[in-house]
Amino acid sequence: MKDVATRAGVGLKTVSRVVNGEPGVTAETERRVRDAIAALGFRRNDSARVLRKGRTSSIGLVLEDLADPFYAPLNRAVEEVARDHGALLVNGSSAEDPERERELALALCARRVDGLVVIPAGDDHRYLEPEMAAGVATVFVDRPAGLISADTVLSDHAGGAREGVAHLIAHGHRRIGFIGDQPRIHTATERLRGYRAAMDAAALPVHDGWTSLGPTTPDRVRGEVLRMLSGPAPVTALFTGNNRVTATAVRVLSELPGRVARVALVGFDDLELADLLSPAVTVIAQDPARLGRTAAELLFQRLDGYAADARRVELPTRLIARGSGEMPPGGG
């Protein structure tokens, strides 16, 4: 900064004002300072700035899997809000492992991020209490925090699942199977709750073999789809609990041409090219970009001094009817 000040013929405070975008500098003086910065290759020392101001202008995002198409627009939305606030986003994947989530979140805190947006893999987040008490703003998105109070942004998982199953019922289905994610995951149990609510509202029984929660690995999902479609009274429709389950179910159905025409399908979460399949896949769609944007906005409100009780925001889902969920039992 001294070199810049000498070259521009100004004081250190003037250079500081230009670098930090502060008022009180004439246009001509700012031009000279910026010319000097360009000529000397000056870069602001953010480490020194952190020591002086106590803020890093960076936030962390902990999500399940950066490669999952669902999280790409969520990640981008958080990044855009951070950019609007002059902050850098640092992110990483928990791989649905609670211990890895904990390690990643604490590693970001150790690097002094100002705040965290967390898509939780675990159900106990008391490890973040000291960080939050020290001023690290924290917002949970897609799933609630476990055993602590924090701002949370969710989709209406139960309501969306209920609407999807009711849609199948309205098209004549009475034997509907549900295949979801692992039971320890909040979204999986909420979607199962919505499935059961729709069946109960229609006074339809739910037999033990019609529901299945577990890993979303292709082998397990394939086995469950084939099991539910076999026997003397197979299901006539499937409600799949997330985009990975839906993708595997579509593959299995495509391999069973004699059954494809009579098995209806509604999936939770949209998936790429779902509208180009035959039949196109009916889905309950979330808005991941809105989830990320809302969470990031709550985070920066906290960073700007909002100190009221923890908030819970629940965003609606929407049914997109494309064909697979509108087939009556036996095809049509």
Side-chain angles (χ1 to χ4, degrees):
M1 286 182 67
K2 289 180 180 178
D3 292 339
V4 170
T6 299
R7 187 181 183 96
V10 299
L12 282 173
K13 181 60 177 177
T14 300
V15 176
S16 176
R17 284 175 176 160
V18 172
V19 169
N20 291 297
E22 298 173 0
V25 181
T26 67
E28 172 59 23
T29 300
E30 181 177 354
R31 183 192 63 76
R32 295 205 318 271
V33 171
R34 293 200 179 281
D35 286 347
I37 287 171
L40 295 173
F42 170 80
R43 295 291 182 272
R44 183 175 64 192
N45 186 330
D46 281 337
S47 295
R49 188 165 179 262
V50 168
L51 290 174
R52 186 174 72 255
K53 293 193 172 184
R55 292 273 291 270
T56 64
S57 293
S58 64
I59 64 170
L61 171 61
V62 179
L63 40 70
E64 178 189 342
D65 184 357
L66 282 166
D68 190 320
F70 174 80
Y71 291 115
L74 189 155
N75 180 87
R76 179 61 181 271
V78 173
E79 183 177 27
E80 288 300 315
V81 174
R83 185 174 182 271
D84 289 344
H85 286 80
L88 178 70
L89 176 67
V90 184
N91 55 31
S93 302
S94 69
E96 204 63 79
D97 180 344
E99 183 56 30
R100 183 165 168 175
E101 172 217 297
R102 179 180 181 277
E103 291 174 356
L104 178 57
L106 291 179
L108 290 168
C109 290
R111 284 158 178 78
R112 299 191 64 181
V113 294
D114 299 323
L116 286 174
V117 176
V118 181
I119 298 172
D123 55 9
D124 185 349
H125 294 94
R126 288 174 294 182
Y127 70 85
L128 281 173
E129 285 182 327
E131 310 298 334
M132 294 170 67
V136 179
T138 305
V139 177
F140 289 80
V141 62
D142 192 43
R143 307 164 188 172
L147 304 180
I148 65 171
S149 177
D151 291 338
T152 304
V153 182
L154 307 170
S155 292
D156 183 7
H157 299 288
R162 179 170 180 163
E163 182 181 14
V165 175
H167 185 73
L168 291 168
I169 294 170
H171 285 82
H173 295 277
R174 300 296 179 264
R175 301 195 304 273
I176 302 171
F178 175 93
I179 304 176
D181 209 331
Q182 301 186 72
R184 65 177 176 80
I185 297 175
H186 170 80
T187 53
T189 57
E190 282 294 286
R191 293 168 193 175
L192 177 60
R193 184 167 70 86
Y195 160 87
R196 291 188 178 277
M199 297 292 279
D200 184 63
L204 295 175
V206 176
H207 296 293
D208 290 342
W210 291 359
T211 64
S212 175
L213 294 180
T216 58
T217 56
D219 286 346
R220 187 195 78 87
V221 174
R222 173 181 293 274
E224 291 302 281
V225 171
L226 293 175
R227 180 184 63 77
M228 291 184 186
L229 296 180
S230 64
V235 299
T236 65
L238 290 170
F239 185 83
T240 46
N242 64 29
N243 54 6
R244 294 185 296 277
V245 178
T246 303
T248 299
V250 168
R251 290 191 183 96
V252 174
L253 295 178
S254 71
E255 297 166 3
L256 302 170
R259 295 179 178 179
V260 171
R262 63 184 178 87
V263 178
L265 173 67
V266 175
F268 203 108
D269 289 335
D270 207 353
L271 64 161
E272 192 174 6
L273 305 181
D275 57 327
L276 301 181
L277 298 172
S278 182
V281 181
T282 296
V283 298
I284 299 296
Q286 301 186 74
D287 189 341
R290 187 178 175 190
L291 282 167
R293 183 169 58 254
T294 303
E297 288 170 350
L298 294 184
L299 184 77
F300 281 99
Q301 288 172 18
R302 289 287 179 189
L303 291 173
D304 289 339
Y306 183 85
D309 291 343
R311 297 160 290 180
R312 180 186 175 102
V313 179
E314 190 168 88
L315 302 178
T317 58
R318 65 189 179 103
L319 172 72
I320 304 176
R322 295 188 176 121
S324 69
E326 293 67 61
M327 296 187 299

